Each structure stands twice: as C-alpha cells, then as structure tokens.
Amino acid sequence: MVSFGLTVILTPLICSTDQSNGAGEFNLLGVAVTLPESEKTATAKHSGPGASAQEGAEAALRELSNYLADDMAACNRAIVERMDSPVALIPQLAAHLVAAGGKRLRPLLTLASARLCDYPAGPEHQRHVALAACVEFIHTATLLHDDVVDESQLRRGLASANAVFGNKASVLVGDFLFARSFQLMTDDGSLKVMAILSSASATIAEGEVLQMSTQNDLSTSVDQYLTVIHGKTAALFAAACRVGAVVAKRPEAEELALEAYGTNLGMAFQLVDDALDYAADQAVLGKTVGDDFREGKITLPVLAAYAAGSEEDRQFWRRVIEESEQAPEDLDHALALIARTDAIGITLDRAAAYARAAREALDIFPDTHLRRLLQDTASYTVSRAR
C-alpha cells in the first residue's frame, strides 16, 4: 500500500568573449544569438491553463535576478570565457542552448546565498560568481545527457540539442561542460567546495540511474520516488546554496540552513514539474505534454492515481506503464484518471509542504529583502501548477 504521509527532507550557456549588446543578443564565436524574452527580464507571455501562475513564478524569479543583476552579469561573463573553444561544434551547440533560454535558477541561488551571507562586494571577491557558473555547467551537462537517455525532442519549447545535433554531439558536449565545471572547482581551491559540488554531481548520476531502474515499475514506493527526485534535482539545488555560505565563511549552521533551503526548494520544484507533465499545456510546459507517461516514468501523479484507482484502473496503468502498451487515446484516459483521483492535488500539496520547509529554513537569517525574495521564490515554485 502506498503511503502519502508528509515527509519533508531538511538536509546562459554563452561561449565567446564578446559581451551582450544590452538587447539580449550575444555573438558566440560568430554565431549570433538573441536571448528569449524571459532572459531579457520581460514578462513571458503564455496562453492556456496555468499561464497566470507561470507568469507569477517568473515574476518572482525576475525580481530576484534583477536584485542580483551585477552578479548575474559577471556570471554570464564567466560562462562566456569558459565556453570558448576552438572546436566549432561546441559553440554551435552552446548557441542552441542559449536560444532555448532557461531561468538560470541554480546559479542564481549560489549568488543569492553568498549575498545573504554578506559575502563582500568588489572585483577581488568573485568566488561566488565562478562557482555559480560551475553550477550552471553541471546542470546543463545533465540536461544534455538526460535528453539523450529520454530521447526527448523538445527542451524549453524548442528542439532539444540531441534532436538537432545528434546524440553523440550532445553527450560529448555534456562531457565538456562537466570537465569545465571541475576546472572551476579546482581554480577555486577549496577542498570543501569541491567536496560539496563533486558529491552533488555523483548524487545526480545516482538519481538518474535509480530513475532508470524504477522506470515502468508500479511497485515503486513513494519514498523511492522521493529518493530519485532528491538525487536528480534537489541535490544540486542544495549544493548551489551551500557553497554560497562556504565562500562567505559563515558558520556551519548557516551552511546547513541554506542546504536545507535548496534541498526543499529542489524537491518542490521537481514535484511541480512532474505534476505539470499531466496538468499543463505544451506552451506552458516547454516540452511535450505526456513525455513522462510515454516513457513509463514513475512519478507521484501516477503513483497516487494507481493507489487510489479501482482494479480496472490499475489494469490500465499496468498495461500502459509496466507493459508499455499504449494506444493514441491512452494519454487522455490517463489524464482523466489522474483528475478523478486528485493525483495532481496530492502532488502539489506535497510540493507545498517542501516549499514551506524551504521558507522556514531561512528563518535563521535576518529578515532582509533578499531573504524575502528567496522565500517568495519557494512560494511561487508551487504556484506554477496552481
């Protein structure tokens, strides 16, 4: 029997030295790239269910990004420098990734955590910037590899890198990004920073392997599912936040508080993503709706619907998930079963609990504007699917 008891865990790829022209355009070793509107601090426009909530979530992130605009600009410059390569395919693929956009949430968390811990300003204090770039490289490398494993055709509403450049190029450029991330760790010179980020990298890989081993298996427990999303998503959120406190040389209590914030934020973020796969339209989601269903991924919406369903419902889930026998109309039937059992509500309630834990983890810090922005970011993470 699946248990749904509350468990709260507290524990712009740019590759040229050219600068932005201020209009959201970059030149990547001769490849001109215009950033999406969301990357130029304009409100993203969507139509369809969830649009207003999506805009609210993006507004919270935009306010946090604007607050840290100078740090984010420095981070982008660091990424520009480290993505430079004489191998033409690397900047070409990187330009494609930039065009696809992205919220840059993980590096933003590193920058915000450092500033929350009063990391000094000035050109001689740039460790947080380099490590934010490092975090983004780790994240993007995992996206490239994940899209190959999942055979995804869309990423953030555009053709995925593997769809455009092929699997081999995506895997190898992902390897390049991992290598760059470890160069940045080495340049930082802190064994503690390296331990945190390298451990997170290993945990991400473990999470992806565990997800693969639970695929098509409806006997997967909720706890196993939560372990998967902790590994594949929350571990890097946690590391991104904790290293901000490390570079600021704050007490371990503050390191652990930021790690708890990142962990819980990451858990909420992934739960909402998993809900959106069954509850959003494609324009809002940025990928093909129902991808998780077609791939037989075990997520909380499926586990909740399976647990609450009739024997006839369970036979349906076993056929489409465990036996991978899917007809064109099966996705609509799955959506109807998920709606009937309130599986999305169950998933979002759990996400909201993690978001609350994330906000509360920051209570150790003074009540500043930046702390409130980080807490608002946790709140709006869940609103994306409300």
Side-chain angles (χ1 to χ4, degrees):
M1 185 69 174
V2 179
S3 169
F4 295 100
L6 178 63
T7 302
V8 178
I9 299 175
L10 291 174
T11 38
L13 297 188
I14 314 164
C15 51
S16 158
T17 52
D18 295 347
Q19 301 297 314
S20 167
N21 64 7
E25 297 177 355
F26 287 84
N27 187 283
L28 312 188
L29 297 182
V31 181
V33 173
T34 301
L35 295 181
E37 285 299 313
S38 62
E39 296 303 306
K40 291 183 276 184
T41 69
T43 300
K45 300 297 182 183
H46 296 289
S47 61
S52 60
Q54 179 80 0
E55 290 170 4
E58 289 179 356
L61 287 177
R62 188 167 58 252
E63 187 174 357
L64 182 62
S65 183
N66 288 342
Y67 185 86
L68 298 164
D70 290 343
D71 282 345
M72 282 300 295
C75 180
N76 285 342
R77 289 193 294 271
I79 294 171
V80 165
E81 179 182 347
R82 292 293 179 154
M83 280 299 298
D84 195 358
S85 172
V87 180
L89 185 58
I90 292 174
Q92 289 170 7
L93 197 149
H96 177 81
L97 293 170
V98 174
K103 299 177 178 63
R104 308 293 187 265
L105 176 55
R106 293 154 187 83
L108 189 61
L109 291 175
T110 299
L111 300 172
S113 297
R115 292 305 184 199
L116 186 67
C117 292
D118 296 322
Y119 184 65
E124 70 277 19
H125 298 290
Q126 295 293 300
R127 290 178 65 194
H128 66 317
V129 168
L131 292 175
C134 174
V135 166
E136 181 68 3
F137 284 148
I138 294 171
H139 172 57
T140 307
T142 63
L143 293 185
L144 286 170
H145 290 167
D146 289 352
D147 284 347
V148 171
V149 171
D150 295 340
E151 299 180 348
S152 299
Q153 298 300 301
L154 287 178
R155 169 64 64 181
R156 297 168 183 148
L158 298 178
S160 60
N162 52 297
V164 175
F165 296 94
N167 289 340
K168 292 180 180 179
S170 293
V171 169
L172 293 173
V173 173
D175 291 345
F176 172 84
L177 295 178
F178 268 127
R180 282 292 195 237
S181 73
F182 278 87
Q183 286 179 328
L184 285 162
M185 292 181 219
T186 303
D187 290 348
D188 182 75
S190 167
L191 287 177
K192 187 170 189 176
V193 164
M194 182 172 287
I196 292 168
L197 291 174
S198 61
S199 176
S201 299
T203 301
I204 293 167
E206 289 172 342
E208 294 293 347
V209 173
L210 182 58
Q211 178 173 258
M212 185 174 63
S213 68
T214 61
Q215 194 160 319
N216 306 107
D217 185 2
L218 287 166
S219 69
T220 302
S221 69
V222 173
D223 284 344
Q224 286 175 309
Y225 161 75
L226 293 174
T227 299
V228 167
I229 66 172
H230 174 267
K232 64 178 282 188
T233 301
L236 187 57
F237 275 71
C241 292
R242 184 167 185 172
V243 296
V246 173
V247 299
K249 300 180 180 179
R250 303 302 297 175
E252 186 177 28
E254 294 186 14
E255 288 182 30
L256 295 177
L258 281 165
E259 182 180 57
Y261 170 80
T263 297
N264 285 287
L265 177 62
M267 296 294 286
F269 187 91
Q270 188 59 55
L271 280 159
V272 171
D273 264 12
D274 290 348
L276 285 170
D277 197 69
Y278 291 94
D281 67 22
Q282 191 161 305
V284 173
L285 187 59
K287 65 177 183 178
T288 308
V289 172
D291 270 353
D292 290 350
F293 174 77
R294 282 180 283 269
E295 294 164 14
K297 285 185 178 178
I298 302 300
T299 61
L300 190 53
V302 170
L303 291 176
Y306 181 73
S310 66
E311 181 54 34
E312 182 181 354
D313 296 340
R314 292 187 183 192
Q315 288 177 1
F316 166 80
W317 287 114
R318 286 192 287 267
R319 173 174 63 81
V320 297
I321 298 296
E322 293 194 332
E323 299 169 16
S324 299
E325 293 182 4
Q326 296 184 5
E329 65 274 13
D330 283 338
L331 176 59
D332 286 339
H333 187 58
L335 295 176
L337 293 180
I338 281 174
R340 194 174 76 203
T341 57
D342 193 29
I344 297 302
I346 290 169
T347 302
L348 295 182
D349 285 348
R350 188 176 285 265
Y354 280 111
R356 283 195 301 273
R359 294 194 300 271
E360 291 167 2
L362 297 183
D363 287 346
I364 189 175
F365 296 99
D367 184 13
T368 62
H369 181 56
L370 180 54
R371 192 191 85 171
R372 290 191 293 274
L373 288 178
L374 286 167
Q375 290 172 321
D376 288 346
T377 297
S379 298
Y380 280 109
T381 290
V382 179
S383 77
R384 292 184 300 149
R386 291 293 189 183

